[in-house]
Amino acid sequence: MGALPFSRAWESLPSTLIMLAWFVGLCISYTIALAIYRLTWHPLAQFPGPKLTAATGWYECFLDFFAGPGETFAFAIERMHERYGPIVRINPHEIHVSDPDFFDTLYAGGSARRDKYPPAAHVQGTPDGIFGTIDHQTHRKRRAAISGYFSKQSIMQDQGIVDEKIELLCDIFSKAKRDGKELNIRVPLLALGTDVFCQHTLGSQGSMDLLKDWDRAVTWRKSIIALLHWTPIVRQFSWVMPFAVELPMWIIKAANKELALVVSIFRDLRRQAAAAIAEHDSLEGDQKVRPNVFHTILSSNLQAHDKEVKRMAQEGFAILSASGDTIARSMTAAMYHIHANPPVLKRLKEELKQVMPDPYGKIDLATLEALPWLTAVLKESLRIAALITTRAPLQAPTEYLKCGEWAIPPDTPVSMTLSSLMLDPKVWPEPMKFTPERWLESNPEYRRNMNYFVPFHRGHRNCIGIK
Ligand code: HEM
């Protein structure tokens, strides 16, 4: 029997198979056409960068999932800059810049309008909190409603909370010393940061009391790590976190124990937000604003939909997940570098002894802030810790952003990476050397250094917890 001609063989196939073949063919043609468009006519086609990343965003996804430590996309971006210069197209839609002098153009304040790029806004799983808010104007209003709650004056009112938690931290250190045991200080420092900010943000009922419960503190640390590990997934699939929060708890526990704690905290925040709504009208005067951040939101002139339980819980979660671990990681870096550099430690002790002869005595913030060496040590710790390793893309919807000879078209997502800037050898001689002297006002480079000191970012989207 001879072979059937192609047209006859095609006709003899079942119709579902033919449709499937058409579908696959269309997908392949669409992908090829899209890649050709992105490499030739796309508004970013002229920008330097590898052809592969310009053609598809899946390369980033592939590296983040499979390439392993030291090979993720963040490292690939550094290599792209080494090869292509300070401005690189890192995926079909986004430009990444490695030029410290461009920082204030991108992360501008004042009248500049900056929207957040949605995949970056959604990494926390809180699209309606200030961190996740995309639109510039909406972000301004939501942020203005709570910024007073994180002002220096407001934090100072809770000095008692800080003192109480520091006592608990010292107890943990003393016990470890007595028992002669090693201590992973990231755990108690995370507990300190989280307990202080939970109580400041949510009131006494909101404290997680991690400093009193070591096992819970260890689990919370694992949860934070789990959250960070989920970042590449959530960046590609923004629905994952909101979806996970709605699943039955037994499914989440079976999938990931640490994530279960995150979800239970998220649900607890919803309960607290609902409780705040229920009692808000019965409160009076300062009580209406102060008991916790939910009451501050309810007292603001935000619109009704911004005062709903779901949004307020997201705001609470954004604050909690942004506060504890950043504090813990900066303080761990400070602890390490102070002890790894004995002359730094000696000078610090001498300075502190002058204002605090009794190490167990109390001291006020203004006195501490006036100490030049302590201030310099903290600034250098924040620089060298280089906490934020994820790029932060923003979009300028109405403006061309000028970067060297390039004009980046309006609405293009443009990013920079803080950790690269804080450790850039062109800005900081010997960047990995812990040198608090950089931050003494007597240093001739002090003003220049301050210009590049941006651990909390700048502009409209800078850290609300900076004080
Ligand atoms: C050493 C400690 C901290 C560092 C280095 C730090 C750093 C940063 C940075 C770089 C950003 C901008 C992130 C981005 O745009 O992708 C940010 C945003 C933010 N931080 Fe912090 N942070 C610290 C502590 C805190 C604390 C204690 C809080 C608690 C209130 C906090 C709450 C926030 C919030 C809510 C945002 C989002 C602000 C917005 O989008 O308007 N941070 N932080």
Side-chain angles (χ1 to χ4, degrees):
M1 217 164 61
L4 281 175
F6 177 74
S7 57
R8 293 267 311 276
W10 178 253
E11 278 161 21
S12 66
L13 284 175
S15 59
T16 43
L17 218 59
I18 294 178
M19 276 171 63
L20 190 68
W22 269 109
F23 179 72
V24 172
L26 275 176
C27 286
I28 294 173
S29 313
Y30 173 76
T31 308
I32 294 172
L34 188 64
I36 293 173
Y37 163 73
R38 285 169 171 174
L39 293 172
T40 50
W41 297 292
H42 190 283
L44 302 184
Q46 303 312 315
F47 282 81
K51 296 280 176 259
L52 180 61
T53 56
T56 172
W58 288 104
Y59 181 64
E60 169 171 6
C61 196
F62 171 78
L63 287 190
D64 280 347
F65 285 133
F66 303 112
E71 293 298 327
T72 53
F73 195 63
F75 292 93
I77 294 176
E78 282 181 16
R79 288 194 292 274
M80 288 182 216
H81 280 299
E82 279 163 24
R83 177 146 182 222
Y84 295 97
I87 180 159
V88 176
R89 182 185 184 192
I90 55 167
N91 67 38
H93 320 284
E94 186 179 341
I95 296 290
H96 189 274
V97 175
S98 163
D99 174 356
D101 293 319
F102 181 68
F103 197 83
D104 287 336
T105 307
L106 179 58
Y107 303 106
S111 60
R113 189 183 156 174
R114 296 288 181 266
D115 294 336
K116 204 158 190 172
Y117 183 42
H122 293 156
V123 288
Q124 245 187 8
T126 55
D128 296 322
I130 53 170
F131 183 87
T133 302
I134 293 164
D135 175 66
H136 176 82
Q137 295 300 354
T138 313
H139 174 262
R140 298 304 304 143
K141 286 187 206 143
R142 288 176 175 169
R143 185 164 162 139
I146 56 168
S147 57
Y149 200 83
F150 297 98
S151 65
K152 189 165 173 182
Q153 195 194 14
S154 165
I155 304 282
M156 291 301 295
Q157 286 184 39
D158 279 344
Q159 178 67 43
I161 297 177
V162 180
D163 290 345
E164 179 203 321
K165 306 294 179 198
I166 296 268
E167 293 276 337
L168 291 171
L169 179 76
C170 290
D171 289 347
I172 292 174
F173 285 164
S174 305
K175 185 170 181 312
K177 194 176 172 191
R178 260 197 326 272
D179 299 347
K181 277 196 183 148
E182 275 183 16
L183 186 70
N184 175 357
I185 58 167
R186 277 287 287 276
V187 177
L189 291 177
L190 175 64
L192 174 77
T194 310
D195 279 359
V196 167
F197 268 89
C198 269
Q199 203 160 328
H200 174 70
T201 309
L202 304 171
S204 50
Q205 300 210 330
S207 177
M208 281 167 72
D209 281 337
L210 299 177
L211 284 163
K212 293 181 183 163
D213 184 342
W214 183 259
D215 290 341
R216 196 167 154 82
V218 171
T219 310
W220 181 239
R221 178 161 145 65
K222 287 185 185 157
S223 304
I224 294 283
I225 294 170
L227 265 185
L228 295 176
H229 284 171
W230 276 71
T231 305
I233 300 173
V234 178
R235 191 183 295 129
Q236 302 294 338
F237 310 103
S238 59
W239 49 268
V240 166
M241 279 315 244
F243 176 72
V245 170
E246 302 304 334
L247 287 172
M249 193 46 108
W250 64 267
I251 298 186
I252 305 170
K253 273 192 180 147
N256 188 311
K257 202 165 74 160
E258 283 79 32
L259 210 64
L261 180 59
V262 174
V263 172
S264 77
I265 285 166
F266 199 89
R267 289 181 184 172
D268 200 41
L269 286 168
R270 279 192 191 166
R271 192 189 51 71
Q272 292 184 49
I277 292 174
E279 69 176 8
H280 188 69
D281 286 341
S282 62
L283 300 178
E284 283 180 7
D286 198 30
Q287 277 300 305
K288 246 184 152 57
V289 185
R290 188 61 194 163
N292 64 38
V293 77
F294 299 135
H295 287 282
T296 306
I297 294 174
L298 292 169
S299 303
S300 72
N301 54 11
L302 283 174
Q303 290 188 340
H305 62 84
D306 272 339
K307 297 179 178 176
E308 283 170 5
V309 169
K310 192 172 148 226
R311 196 200 82 77
M312 292 207 298
Q314 289 193 18
E315 199 67 284
F317 189 77
I319 293 163
L320 292 195
S321 53
S323 55
D325 195 46
T326 42
I327 292 178
R329 284 164 60 209
S330 323
M331 286 177 68
T332 305
M335 290 278 218
Y336 167 75
H337 287 288
I338 291 167
H339 287 89
N341 293 279
V344 172
L345 177 63
K346 186 166 172 280
R347 190 166 168 184
L348 189 59
K349 279 185 171 176
E350 281 164 9
E351 191 182 68
L352 282 168
K353 247 183 215 157
Q354 284 174 22
V355 290
M356 215 177 157
D358 171 10
Y360 296 97
K362 293 247 180 313
I363 188 157
D364 63 283
L365 181 65
T367 312
L368 286 174
E369 279 179 331
L371 300 179
W373 189 245
L374 174 67
T375 306
V377 166
L378 291 180
K379 282 186 178 156
E380 182 65 351
S381 302
L382 283 166
R383 183 196 67 78
I384 207 163
L387 290 191
I388 315 293
T389 52
T390 322
R391 63 188 195 270
L394 292 181
Q395 291 169 265
T398 52
E399 226 181 303
Y400 276 88
L401 296 181
K402 198 90 186 65
C403 180
E405 70 211 45
W406 295 94
I408 305 171
D411 228 17
T412 304
V414 186
S415 54
M416 293 182 75
T417 305
L418 265 194
S419 55
S420 309
L421 176 57
M422 301 313 278
L423 300 174
D424 186 343
K426 294 192 290 301
V427 181
W428 315 104
E430 297 190 85
M432 296 311 289
K433 194 165 166 215
F434 189 73
T435 317
E437 286 81 358
R438 298 182 214 268
W439 308 106
L440 293 178
E441 285 184 35
S442 52
N443 183 337
E445 295 290 310
Y446 173 76
R447 289 211 167 280
R448 174 200 168 276
N449 290 348
M450 280 306 288
N451 190 35
Y452 295 119
F453 182 65
V454 288
F456 299 97
H457 247 289
R458 278 203 187 131
H460 295 303
R461 305 273 180 164
N462 78 341
C463 178
I464 204 171
I466 187 166
K467 295 296 177 199

